[in-house]
């Protein structure tokens, strides 16, 4: 396939997840993965093999800083075999395997063809000249490999002579460059990318062009999202020319984003644990921010207090720009200026969350900035709390979010009538029209 130099440097190419290379995965990770599979949908062949796999020694992490935390440099964050905190190489490999299972189902009835999945990382964005924004990886790319450097490409490629979901995983990553690393920080390079993520092969980004040349034939089906490329430069350099060739082929490029997002709907036990931690950190930050309230207080102070409390508990960043809105400003759905004084007697609404090890939280709470509800405030607060509890009681398998949403609208209407905020003659249809207009904004 691509230049053999990169593979030779890593001891030769490896095989696909369901092939012999699965033996290199760590024993502890395999045991945990097998436990998780008991409640997960997997292909029959993989399920039959899950207890017969003999793990071999894991690739050694280079004794240097990589482009992201590793078990060598950050043992307080990552255990051996983990790519990102709490998520192992095994878990990421299973995700790639499940994606290829979905592609196998999508391709049923097609002629015998080779399949190649391509996902681009995010680029680095700049606020001005050489001042970058904090890098945040494309979530679909991150979900499948855990690699957190910009300007990279993940490829999942079927193996000639073997049926899907057998495949090999390849990363194309930025070349090690002492001059750029002096400015931007360490890079993992191909050797670090393989050792950290557990992919089968890794090469420098420049070598991707050799693979692209091989994908132009009619026997290759490429799975890639043309409509919304996440990296404009990589798309322009490599994927747009390929798309133009494939447009004249009988095997046009197929979208893959929806398949990845279908996988992301179902969370593994390890993911749920990450989400719980993010929620707990956010809840504790809310509590500390409430205690710090006083009158008058600047919204910016509460914003800063909330972010500090999240970061002090290990959060990487805030999940999104928070809403810290006093008084009537809380009725602006995306109020993010957060620069007004909150006066005595006003309520403050905080809509915030944090990102913790690639998983985020999202919580909204309202409280009196002086610590005491007025009677109307207390009545309205209790009404909202009652509605929330009613909706939470319905959160169970088989219940759709649309049904819960519809119930919420009816309950809000009834509560507002009971409080005398709305006239009793107003029907549920009025609420549905009003909320539908908000959802369309």
């Amino acid at each position: 396939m691509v230049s053999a130099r990169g593979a030779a440097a890593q001891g030769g190419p490896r095989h696909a997840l369901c092939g012999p290379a699965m033996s290199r995965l760590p024993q502890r990770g395999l045991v945990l993965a097998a436990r998780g599979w008991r409640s997960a949908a997997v292909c029959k062949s993989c399920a039959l093999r899950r207890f017969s796999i003999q793990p071999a020694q894991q690739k050694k992490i280079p004794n240097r800083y990589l482009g992201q935390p590793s078990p060598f440099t950050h043992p307080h964050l990552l255990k051996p075999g983990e790519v990102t905190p709490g998520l192992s190489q095994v878990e990421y490999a299973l995700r790639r395997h499940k994606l290829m299972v979905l592609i196998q189902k999508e391709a049923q009835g097609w002629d015998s063809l080779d399949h190649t999945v391509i996902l681009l990382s995010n680029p680095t964005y700049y606020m001005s000249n050489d001042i970058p924004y904090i890098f945040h990886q494309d979530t679909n790319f991150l979900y499948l490999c855990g690699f957190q450097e910009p300007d990279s490409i993940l490829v999942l490629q079927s193996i000639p002579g073997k049926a899907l979901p057998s495949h090999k995983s390849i990363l194309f990553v930025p070349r090690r460059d002492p001059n750029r690393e002096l400015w931007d920080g360490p890079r993992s390079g191909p050797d670090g990318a393989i050792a950290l993520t557990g992919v089968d092969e890794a090469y420098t980004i420049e070598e991707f062009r050799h693979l692209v040349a091989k994908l132009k034939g009619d026997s290759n089906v490429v799975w890639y999202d043309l409509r919304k490329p996440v990296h404009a430069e990589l798309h322009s350099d490599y994927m747009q020319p390929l798309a133009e060739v494939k447009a004249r082929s009988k095997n046009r490029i197929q979208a893959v984003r929806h398949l990845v997002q279908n996988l992301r709907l179902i969370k593994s036990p390890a993911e749920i644990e990450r989400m719980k931690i993010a929620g707990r950190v956010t809840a504790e930050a809310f509590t500390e921010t409430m205690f710090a309230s006083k009158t008058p207080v600047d919204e910016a102070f509460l914003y800063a207090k909330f972010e500090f409390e999240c970061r002090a508990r290990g959060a990487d960043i805030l999940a999104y720009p928070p809403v810290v809105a006093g008084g009537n400003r809380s009725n602006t759905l995306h109020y993010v200026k957060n620069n007004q004084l909150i006066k005595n007697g006003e309520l403050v609404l905080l809509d915030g969350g944090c990102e913790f090890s690639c998983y985020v939280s999202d919580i909204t709470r309202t409280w009196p900035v002086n610590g005491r509800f007025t009677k109307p405030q207390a009545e309205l607060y209790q009404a909202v709390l009652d509605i929330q509890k009613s909706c939470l009681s319905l959160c169970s398998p088989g219940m759709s979010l649309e049904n819960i949403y519809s119930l919420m609208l009816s309950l809000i209407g009834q509560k507002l009538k009971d409080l005398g905020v709305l006239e009793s003659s107003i029907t549920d249809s009025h609420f549905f029209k009003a909320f539908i207009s908000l959802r369309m904004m």
Side-chain angles (χ1 to χ4, degrees):
M1 49 153 289
V2 295
S3 167
R5 178 182 50 172
Q10 308 306 328
R14 297 173 178 172
H15 299 281
L17 175 60
C18 287
M22 189 68 170
S23 64
R24 64 185 171 81
L25 297 171
Q27 178 72 56
R28 178 177 175 273
L30 287 172
V31 172
L32 293 176
R35 289 174 182 168
W37 279 355
R38 293 174 185 172
S39 59
V42 297
C43 72
K44 184 177 180 181
S45 63
C46 199
L48 292 174
R49 289 174 55 82
R50 65 187 179 191
F51 296 116
S52 63
I53 299 167
Q54 298 298 319
Q57 186 175 2
Q58 186 183 1
K59 189 78 173 179
K60 187 176 183 296
I61 299 287
N63 295 340
R64 58 178 173 83
Y65 280 97
L66 305 181
Q68 66 191 78
S70 75
F72 173 74
T73 57
H74 293 69
H76 58 293
L77 295 180
L78 293 103
K79 299 175 183 176
E82 289 184 343
V83 184
T84 55
L87 299 177
S88 67
Q89 291 184 2
V90 175
E91 174 127 357
Y92 284 102
L94 286 173
R95 293 173 179 180
R96 296 190 290 268
H97 174 78
K98 289 177 182 178
L99 176 59
M100 300 308 280
V101 169
L102 293 182
I103 286 177
Q104 180 186 31
K105 293 178 181 177
E106 291 269 322
Q108 278 184 349
W110 298 7
D111 295 333
S112 180
L113 299 167
D114 297 324
H115 296 267
T116 302
V117 179
I118 300 174
L119 291 101
L120 308 183
S121 78
N122 270 340
T124 300
Y125 293 103
Y126 292 86
M127 60 180 74
S128 65
N129 296 328
D130 60 349
I131 308 300
Y133 287 103
I134 294 174
F135 178 72
H136 196 270
Q137 188 59 279
D138 175 74
T139 51
N140 292 326
F141 178 95
L142 184 67
Y143 179 80
L144 291 172
C145 64
F147 195 65
Q148 297 188 50
E149 293 185 42
D151 309 324
S152 304
I153 302 174
L154 173 67
V155 174
L156 308 180
Q157 195 167 43
S158 61
I159 300 174
K162 292 188 177 182
L164 291 174
S166 292
H167 70 282
K168 61 180 174 182
S169 54
I170 312 166
L171 272 172
F172 294 86
V173 303
R175 179 187 301 275
R176 297 289 311 282
D177 183 340
N179 290 329
R180 287 312 313 168
E181 291 180 54
L182 180 65
W183 285 90
D184 304 327
R187 294 179 179 180
S188 297
D191 62 327
I194 284 183
L196 179 63
T197 66
V199 296
D200 300 305
E201 302 171 17
Y203 305 89
T204 62
I205 194 70
E206 292 82 4
E207 294 185 84
F208 182 64
R209 68 182 186 276
H210 301 303
L211 175 61
V212 170
K214 294 176 178 289
L215 298 178
K216 295 179 179 180
D218 287 345
S219 63
N220 290 286
V221 178
V222 175
W223 299 77
Y224 170 76
D225 290 294
L226 277 171
R227 292 189 175 183
K228 292 185 177 181
V230 300
H231 195 302
E233 185 176 347
L234 291 178
H235 175 78
S236 175
D237 289 348
Y238 300 112
M239 300 310 299
Q240 186 60 42
L242 176 61
E244 292 170 359
V245 173
K246 301 298 282 186
R248 301 188 293 270
S249 165
K250 64 179 181 180
N251 294 319
R252 298 191 174 188
I253 291 180
Q254 305 292 318
V256 72
R257 181 183 286 112
H258 67 288
L259 298 179
V260 180
Q261 292 183 345
N262 284 341
L263 291 178
R264 292 174 59 188
L265 286 173
I266 309 299
K267 301 302 183 186
S268 71
E271 288 182 287
I272 292 172
E273 182 59 30
R274 296 292 101 189
M275 295 167 71
K276 286 181 177 178
I277 294 173
R280 184 178 70 246
V281 165
T282 305
E284 292 173 358
F286 262 86
T287 300
E288 293 300 322
T289 305
M290 290 178 184
F291 278 126
S293 298
K294 57 183 180 180
T295 55
V297 63
D298 198 313
E299 292 165 346
F301 171 80
L302 297 182
Y303 179 163
K305 176 66 174 176
F306 175 73
E307 180 169 16
F308 168 78
E309 296 296 343
C310 287
R311 296 293 295 268
R313 288 166 172 77
D316 301 306
I317 55 174
L318 293 184
Y320 51 89
V323 175
V324 185
N328 190 49
R329 293 180 295 281
S330 62
N331 290 315
T332 302
L333 296 183
H334 290 158
Y335 172 82
V336 293
K337 291 185 177 181
N338 306 331
N339 61 1
Q340 295 279 355
L341 282 177
I342 308 171
K343 301 173 184 176
N344 186 38
E346 289 186 321
L347 299 178
V348 57
L349 178 145
L350 173 53
D351 176 356
C354 74
E355 179 172 319
F356 192 99
S357 301
C358 308
Y359 289 83
V360 302
S361 57
D362 182 344
I363 299 176
T364 302
R365 289 293 181 268
T366 303
W367 67 91
V369 73
N370 65 6
R372 297 182 300 277
F373 284 109
T374 64
K375 187 174 184 296
Q377 288 171 348
E379 290 175 343
L380 187 58
Y381 184 93
Q382 188 62 49
V384 174
L385 182 60
D386 291 343
I387 294 168
Q388 182 193 44
K389 289 180 176 179
S390 296
C391 291
L392 287 174
S393 69
L394 297 176
C395 292
S396 60
M399 176 62 70
S400 74
L401 291 177
E402 281 298 321
N403 287 341
I404 297 174
Y405 184 77
S406 297
L407 172 68
M408 179 200 70
L409 296 182
S410 296
L411 291 176
I412 287 176
Q414 187 57 52
K415 287 288 187 181
L416 292 177
K417 291 178 187 178
D418 294 343
L419 293 172
V421 176
L422 295 176
E423 297 179 2
S424 59
S425 60
I426 295 179
T427 64
D428 282 357
S429 63
H430 289 90
F431 303 121
F432 281 89
K433 287 180 181 178
F435 278 91
I436 288 173
S437 66
L438 285 176
R439 294 178 71 183
M440 305 259 315
M441 291 175 64

